[in-house]
């Protein structure tokens, strides 16, 4: 399963690459309107999809990484987070000047939802040992230092660090072997 980032869709290049990496598997890649849906609505939809589809692995990028991490509250399989947002509303607030006015206004209406969600869900997550995997850019221009995230979840599996790929993780195709390993595949 692939969970896209803010401003992207389930048809993103990473979703297409995942299907190419694992052609025998069925890719589930829903599209979410993060500006219009509350985080609780996104999680409800994710839980419904996961319950129905039973994915072997969940991978989320950026905002999708945030929600993938939140899936550890009810999903037991491997979870991969690519440059996940750890302070979703703070990140959106920084991005707001570059967003269309109506989108920024809609997001600001969601502030209370995200603050409550962070307090009630995100801050209380306790993924099982080794369940959580990170692929992180050393040059993430949007999120910067990922050390606070790694400190927050010390029981994570091995971290894949990549240089020269930025927040969008342009070297995604290089993750095929680590993704396969987390599934117990050669």
């Amino acid at each position: 399963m692939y969970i896209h980032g803010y401003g992207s869709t389930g048809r993103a290049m990473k979703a297409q690459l995942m299907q190419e990496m694992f052609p025998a598997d069925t890719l589930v890649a829903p599209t979410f309107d993060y500006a219009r849906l509350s985080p609780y609505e996104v999680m409800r939809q994710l839980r419904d999809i996961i319950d129905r589809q039973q994915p072997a692995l969940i991978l989320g990028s950026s905002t999708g990484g945030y929600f993938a991490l939140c899936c550890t509250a009810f999903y037991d399989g491997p979870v991969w987070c690519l440059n996940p947002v750890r302070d979703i509303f703070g990140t959106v607030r920084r991005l707001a000047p570059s967003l269309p006015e109506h989108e920024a206004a809609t997001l600001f209406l969601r502030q209370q939802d995200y603050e409550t969600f962070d307090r009630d869900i995100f801050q209380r997550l306790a993924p099982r040992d080794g369940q959580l995997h990170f692929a992180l850019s050393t040059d993430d221009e949007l999120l910067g230092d990922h050390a606070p995230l790694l400190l927050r979840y010390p029981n994570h599996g091995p971290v894949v660090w990549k240089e020269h790929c930025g927040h969008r993780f342009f070297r995604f195709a290089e993750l095929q072997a680590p993704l396969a390993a987390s599934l117990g595949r050669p």
Side-chain angles (χ1 to χ4, degrees), residues 109-183:
L109 292 174
R110 293 273 171 234
Q111 179 173 2
Q112 184 63 45
D113 289 340
Y114 277 105
E115 288 172 351
T116 303
F117 187 83
D118 276 353
R119 184 186 66 242
D120 295 346
I121 307 293
F122 187 74
Q123 300 297 328
R124 295 177 183 215
L125 291 173
R128 64 179 171 75
D129 287 349
Q131 175 186 24
L132 194 52
H133 305 269
F134 293 104
L136 305 171
S137 300
T138 59
D139 60 342
D140 187 332
E141 73 284 359
L142 180 63
L143 301 178
D145 183 14
H146 292 290
L149 179 73
L150 297 176
L151 290 172
R152 177 149 187 68
Y153 300 104
N155 62 341
H156 60 76
V159 177
V160 176
W161 289 97
K162 294 290 181 183
E163 296 178 336
H164 311 297
C165 59
H167 181 68
R168 293 182 186 249
F169 212 92
F170 291 115
R171 296 174 62 188
F172 180 74
E174 296 174 24
L175 295 179
Q176 184 171 1
L179 289 171
S182 70
L183 290 167

Side-chain angles (χ1 to χ4, degrees), residues 59-107:
L59 183 144
S61 179
S62 189
T63 301
Y66 170 90
F67 284 108
L69 217 163
C70 291
C71 288
T72 65
F74 57 84
Y75 176 77
D76 290 328
V79 173
W80 278 84
C81 301
L82 276 65
N83 292 333
V85 172
R86 63 186 173 277
D87 171 17
I88 197 159
F89 197 78
T91 302
V92 167
R93 190 183 334 227
R94 283 196 325 271
L95 291 176
S98 65
L99 298 174
E101 188 174 320
H102 70 281
E103 194 170 328
T106 303
L107 284 168

Side-chain angles (χ1 to χ4, degrees), residues 1-4 9-11 15 27-31:
M1 174 176 213
Y2 174 71
I3 307 171
H4 66 86
T9 71
R11 295 180 311 278
L27 176 69
V28 178
T31 296

